[in-house]
């Protein structure tokens, strides 16, 4: 898929100039985002993802989604309000409070960030989970965040990835846990062979989603949602006037406009056999190719304007709140009791280990139930 071809423009607009003010602003924004990520992770992420999870996975996820949601909301604020990037949603609308599977194109390193703009508008920014390559889990600080947010890391080899996706999807059977699962069949290292591998892997993943989230066993397992409560959306992202990199976003150079086309896919239209679902995904991406080709020639997708602009006041208040909380945590870490430094060091050591070994605490009640079950089986 070639989603980064320049689109024609009557006014001849293109890449913005990288000026000194933009460089300074970009460095400040990146510094703030990194510091806020670290402090939110250490002081709130750890407490909600570890001690609280020993008592309840549901309330742990709810707390994590809230606190990380207010931090993730800083990114749409950066894109849309500070950088003045125009984000235009087209096609169909995504109703709020649904369990959603998003199948998106992926031709640049920032595609997945613009799904936050959609999730924020639906009140689901803290609940979005990405299927991402395992190398990203090795990033300091951000990799720890991916672990606490329960992103699913893959090697893009189905014989290796099936078991990990199987385990993760099984943990989302509780209907009280909202979920937006985002998958990118292509990957950014686009080749024909890698693309086919991605289609086959995600095709198998779609079957797992059906099995564990859509009620294949709803008669025997009341915690699996009925089939009708899962929604699948095909998301196509186009950039005007060129495909941006992460640094382009950080310094406000590109993109000028991001167009996000949403198309609902009915579950009845998704085949379940491995060959058929792979073929279906390939047909889906052929459709996306045509959609993008039309976008590059016309400058827009069909039916634009399906979502409202973000509230500047709400975004600003959220940013002020996160920065105030970060300043408080920073003061406690560097200028308060030595015990805060011990705490931060210990949490960092735990998060690094938990990410490396993929450790997630289980509820104490669950351990007790497992012990009782084993003892009963022996007798």
């Amino acid at each position: 898929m070639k989603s980064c071809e320049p689109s024609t423009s009557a006014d001849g607009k293109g890449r913005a100039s990288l000026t000194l003010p933009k460089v300074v602003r970009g460095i400040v924004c990146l510094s703030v985002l990194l510091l806020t990520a670290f402090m939110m992770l250490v002081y709130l992420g750890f407490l909600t993802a570890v001690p609280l999870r020993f008592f309840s996975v549901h309330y742990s996820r709810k707390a994590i989604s809230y606190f990380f949601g207010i931090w993730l909301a800083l990114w749409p604020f950066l894109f849309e309000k500070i950088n003045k990037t125009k984000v235009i949603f087209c096609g169909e609308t995504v109703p709020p409070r649904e369990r959603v599977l998003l199948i998106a194109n992926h031709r640049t390193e920032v595609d997945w960030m613009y799904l936050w703009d959609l999730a924020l508008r639906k009140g689901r920014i803290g609940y979005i989970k990405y299927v991402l390559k395992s190398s990203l889990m090795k990033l300091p600080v951000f990799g720890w965040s991916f672990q606490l947010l329960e992103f699913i890391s893959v090697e893009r080899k189905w014989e290796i990835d099936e078991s990990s996706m199987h385990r993760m999807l099984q943990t989302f059977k509780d209907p009280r846990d909202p979920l937006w699962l985002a998958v990118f069949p292509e990957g950014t290292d686009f080749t024909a062979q890698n693309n086919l591998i991605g289609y086959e892997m995600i095709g198998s993943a779609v079957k797992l989603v059906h099995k564990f989230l859509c009620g294949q066993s709803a008669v025997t397992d009341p915690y699996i949602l009925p089939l009708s409560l899962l929604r699948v959306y095909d998301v196509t992202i186009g950039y005007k006037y060129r495909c941006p990199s992460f640094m382009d976003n950080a310094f406000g150079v590109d993109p000028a406009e991001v167009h996000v086309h949403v198309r609902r896919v009915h579950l009845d239209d998704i085949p379940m056999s491995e060959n058929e679902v792979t073929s279906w995904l390939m047909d889906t991406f052929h459709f996306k190719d045509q959609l993008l080709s039309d976008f590059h020639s016309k400058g827009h997708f069909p039916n634009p304007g399906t979502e409202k602009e973000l509230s500047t006041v709400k975004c600003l208040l959220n940013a002020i709140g996160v920065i105030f909380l970060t300043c408080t945590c920073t003061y406690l870490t560097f200028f308060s009791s030595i015990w805060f430094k011990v705490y931060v060091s210990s949490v960092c050591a735990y998060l690094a280990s938990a990410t490396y070994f993929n450790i997630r605490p289980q509820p104490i009640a669950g351990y007790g139930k497992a012990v009782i079950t084993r003892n009963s089986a022996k007798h």
Side-chain angles (χ1 to χ4, degrees):
M1 172 176 288
K2 299 178 180 179
S3 63
C4 293
E5 296 175 354
S7 58
T8 59
S9 172
D11 53 14
K13 289 183 179 180
R15 179 185 177 92
S17 300
L18 181 60
T19 60
L20 180 59
K22 285 188 176 181
V23 171
V24 173
R25 188 184 68 188
I27 293 174
V28 170
C29 287
L30 285 177
S31 300
V32 169
L33 287 167
L34 183 60
L35 182 60
T36 54
F38 180 77
M39 291 302 172
M40 295 285 286
L41 183 68
V42 170
Y43 280 94
L44 296 175
F46 172 78
L47 294 175
T48 53
V50 180
L52 183 56
R53 193 178 174 104
F54 280 122
F55 299 95
S56 171
V57 172
H58 168 67
Y59 286 108
S60 172
R61 283 175 171 165
K62 193 170 184 178
I64 290 171
S65 297
Y66 174 76
F67 289 117
F68 273 92
I70 62 176
W71 176 76
L72 289 173
L74 295 179
W75 292 91
F77 176 60
L78 168 64
F79 298 154
E80 299 187 39
K81 302 302 178 180
I82 297 179
N83 290 349
K84 302 298 182 182
T85 296
K86 194 172 183 179
V87 182
I88 301 170
F89 294 91
C90 316
E92 300 181 63
T93 59
V94 180
R97 305 190 182 281
E98 285 188 335
R99 280 196 160 193
V100 168
L101 171 65
L102 301 172
I103 301 174
N105 59 316
H106 193 28
R107 299 302 299 119
T108 177
E109 58 199 18
V110 296
D111 291 321
W112 58 291
M113 292 183 170
Y114 283 102
L115 294 182
W116 288 334
D117 294 66
L118 176 60
L120 179 59
R121 286 167 165 83
K122 302 300 177 181
R124 285 294 181 262
I125 190 167
Y127 292 101
I128 191 167
K129 317 292 180 187
Y130 293 96
V131 178
L132 76 174
K133 55 187 178 182
S134 58
S135 60
L136 293 175
M137 301 296 290
K138 299 176 183 178
L139 294 173
V141 182
F142 291 107
W144 305 348
S145 300
F146 299 159
Q147 172 73 8
L148 294 193
L149 285 166
E150 299 181 283
F151 289 4
I152 304 175
S153 64
V154 295
E155 303 289 341
R156 293 180 70 81
K157 296 179 181 178
W158 183 243
E159 62 273 15
I160 299 174
D161 299 327
E162 180 180 13
S163 59
S164 61
M165 294 191 72
H166 183 284
R167 287 193 301 271
M168 280 300 297
L169 289 173
Q170 277 189 317
T171 68
F172 284 95
K173 292 179 180 179
D174 191 337
R176 297 177 302 167
D177 294 334
L179 175 65
W180 275 36
L181 181 63
V183 294
F184 301 90
E186 296 168 303
T188 51
D189 53 341
F190 181 86
T191 66
Q193 180 62 29
N194 286 347
N195 204 34
L196 181 58
I197 292 172
Y199 289 157
E200 292 174 345
M201 190 192 78
I202 300 302
S204 299
V206 168
K207 292 199 298 182
L208 279 180
V209 171
H210 261 277
K211 181 178 180 181
F212 294 111
L213 298 182
C214 304
Q216 295 292 321
S217 306
V219 174
T220 57
D221 190 343
Y223 286 100
I224 299 180
L225 284 179
L227 187 66
S228 60
L229 294 185
L230 179 76
R231 298 288 185 265
V232 179
Y233 290 94
D234 172 30
V235 178
T236 305
I237 304 172
Y239 297 97
K240 190 178 180 181
Y241 300 91
R242 63 185 297 275
C243 201
S245 67
F246 175 78
M247 297 309 293
D248 288 335
N249 269 276
F251 294 117
V253 175
D254 266 316
E257 294 181 13
V258 179
H259 294 245
V260 182
H261 183 272
V262 180
R263 178 178 67 95
R264 181 179 172 186
V265 178
H266 294 280
L267 288 169
D268 293 339
D269 295 334
I270 304 176
M272 280 296 98
S273 71
E274 187 168 344
N275 290 335
E276 288 181 336
V277 77
T278 301
S279 178
W280 171 81
L281 269 172
M282 294 178 71
D283 290 341
T284 297
F285 274 77
H286 285 316
F287 171 81
K288 294 162 83 69
D289 276 331
Q290 184 59 52
L291 197 62
L292 282 165
S293 179
D294 293 341
F295 168 76
H296 293 313
S297 62
K298 298 178 181 178
H300 61 83
F301 287 125
N303 189 28
T306 55
E307 300 291 344
K308 296 180 179 179
E309 290 189 10
L310 294 176
S311 168
T312 302
V313 173
K314 289 182 179 180
C315 287
L316 187 59
L317 289 176
N318 180 80
I320 292 173
V322 173
I323 292 172
F324 174 78
L325 184 61
T326 300
C327 291
T328 302
C329 294
T330 303
Y331 172 80
L332 293 174
T333 302
F334 294 103
F335 306 105
S336 186
S337 169
I338 186 66
W339 292 108
F340 282 101
K341 295 181 178 65
V342 173
Y343 167 80
V344 171
S345 301
S346 301
V347 169
C348 288
Y350 169 82
L351 291 175
S353 302
T355 302
Y356 183 82
F357 294 106
N358 194 25
I359 298 172
R360 290 187 176 88
Q362 295 302 313
I364 297 172
Y367 285 124
K369 189 180 294 184
V371 171
I372 294 173
T373 301
R374 286 197 298 267
N375 291 337
S376 300
K378 291 179 180 180
H379 296 292

